[in-house]
Amino acid sequence: MWVLIMQDTDQTVTIGATVPTGFELTAAEEVQEKLGATARVSKNRGRIYFDITTDKLIEVHHLKSLDNLFVVVKEYEDYQFKATKEEVLLDWQELATKLPWTNALEVWKLNNSIRKKKGRRKRPNPTKSDQCENVSAKCPDTVPSDPEELLENCETLEVTENQADVSPNLENDSEEDKPSEPQDQDSELMPLKFRVTCSRAGDKHCFTSNDAARDFGGAVQEFFQWKADMTKFDVEVLLNIHNNEVVVGIALTVESLHRRNITHFGPTTLRSTLAYGMLRLCKPQVSDVIVDPMCGTGAIPLEGAMEWQNSFFIAGDNNGTAVSRSVNNIKHILKKTQDGGRVGSRKKNWELYPLCLREMARVCKPGTGKAALLTQDKKCFTKALLQMGGLWKKLHTVWVNVGGLHAGVFVLKRTNVIFGISSGDKTEPHTATEAQKENLGDASLSV
């Protein structure tokens, strides 16, 4: 039985990440900027590695350039493979017993505790590239990465040598295909369920990806006494082979992070990580206007608006369906941010409303400027309006129903009272100071 015991002190671990091919340096820049860690690019394109302390693990999940994350168990820069498959099999068996698993498994457990969402892997509308990521040893063919399609399509797919996804001694399972929620080994005595996924590149190997995943998976199973399960696994062991470079890791993501924002996909939807990388190459600055005239489902403007909030993003498309998908993706983001507590509260309105009304008064032209404001918090808004010292005059109110909520649209007109530094600085036009007159001119230009 394998029991995991978490250490109290933060330890330094190596994190591996897959990134859009060609954007390795862009991802490395983000890691340096946000984590203060130096990332190195793998010889196998599309991967970077960087060292962090475990207290920064949650911050890694918030990086915008990274697709999938894993903690490195061991990395071999020049692994000497044997000449025959039989000898390689013996090597895999020996390797599994001498790898430093403990720290990586502790990180895996910590990662499970901080993940916001656990449970089944969701793979809506898998792309062609998604469908080439996993291969099962149960059948010798390439299978889609969606577990729900795996058993149905196993007999009709073509063979590839690039990826292998193997659970040794796998038994047929008629239940719904999904990874199980990771077990807490401090409270559960049941053995963990696992699978091995192999990614291999290079033409000088005497074995296939299936061979490597099957043989190494068998050795891992024998060493830990874990239960092999290709679809409802707790632990996914990764075996990445690129020529003579071998990296063994444990996956930290259930699904790719590039699915974080897009819920409505189209035929040409960009990965969020790719959209972010494109924007980062442009280095948006404060007040920059960024236009995406062929926005599709809105991946680029969505990523931009969330990361560079001081820039302005405009998006459009000549396809009505694409525009509808963009709108739905925007709604998803708004709902997600509101669920996260950014929508405000009645308590905060007592501070927010006076500040907003005062700022609106500053930028609107005295005498002619108007404002229309929608709020359900009528009491707070009315009292905030009374605190403005005559900066605004209420013209009329329209009562409306918004999703079952009784709210009011308040139409205000800017008075001739000159806006000052604070509410106590307001004076009538004929007594304005020179500084206030200059401020008046600035406010007039803002309308």
Side-chain angles (χ1 to χ4, degrees), residues 367-384:
T368 59
K370 293 182 180 180
L373 302 101
L374 171 66
T375 179
Q376 185 194 5
D377 196 350
K378 300 176 285 294
K379 178 181 178 181
C380 180
F381 183 83
T382 300
K383 291 201 172 184

Side-chain angles (χ1 to χ4, degrees), residues 13 36 101 148 160 162 174 184 219 264 273 275 296 300 307 347 385:
V13 296
W101 295 100
E148 295 183 354
T160 69
N162 292 329
S174 59
D184 185 343
H264 292 74
T273 45
I300 291 177
E307 181 71 8
K347 182 178 179 181
L385 193 60

Side-chain angles (χ1 to χ4, degrees), residues 328-400:
N328 287 327
N329 285 324
I330 292 171
K331 289 179 179 178
H332 166 70
I333 295 298
L334 292 176
K335 183 179 184 301
K336 187 166 68 172
T337 55
Q338 289 173 1
D339 291 344
R342 295 178 61 178
V343 72
S345 66
R346 288 181 179 270
K347 182 178 179 181
K348 293 180 180 178
N349 288 345
W350 290 98
E351 178 182 358
L352 175 65
Y353 283 4
L355 292 175
C356 288
L357 287 170
R358 188 164 289 116
E359 178 63 11
M360 291 176 183
R362 184 185 71 82
V363 300
C364 283
K365 185 176 182 179
T368 59
K370 293 182 180 180
L373 302 101
L374 171 66
T375 179
Q376 185 194 5
D377 196 350
K378 300 176 285 294
K379 178 181 178 181
C380 180
F381 183 83
T382 300
K383 291 201 172 184
L385 193 60
L386 293 175
Q387 298 174 18
M388 293 300 101
L391 286 171
W392 291 104
K393 177 183 178 181
K394 184 171 73 172
L395 297 181
H396 58 275
T397 305
V398 178
W399 301 107
V400 297

Side-chain angles (χ1 to χ4, degrees), residues 85 89 92-93 135-138 164-169 194 196-198 207-221 239:
K85 291 175 63 174
L89 170 58
W92 292 136
Q93 293 174 343
V135 173
S136 167
K138 184 180 177 183
D165 179 8
V166 173
S167 287
N169 303 325
F194 84 106
V196 172
T197 300
C198 178
F207 54 88
T208 66
S209 301
N210 280 337
D211 294 334
R214 181 188 61 246
D215 295 342
F216 185 66
V220 171
Q221 182 182 39
L239 180 61

Side-chain angles (χ1 to χ4, degrees), residues 124-132 258-259 265 269 271:
N125 300 333
T127 62
K128 183 177 180 181
S129 60
D130 289 335
Q131 294 178 343
C132 297
H258 83 267
R259 297 181 180 274
F265 292 82
T269 299
R271 288 173 175 253

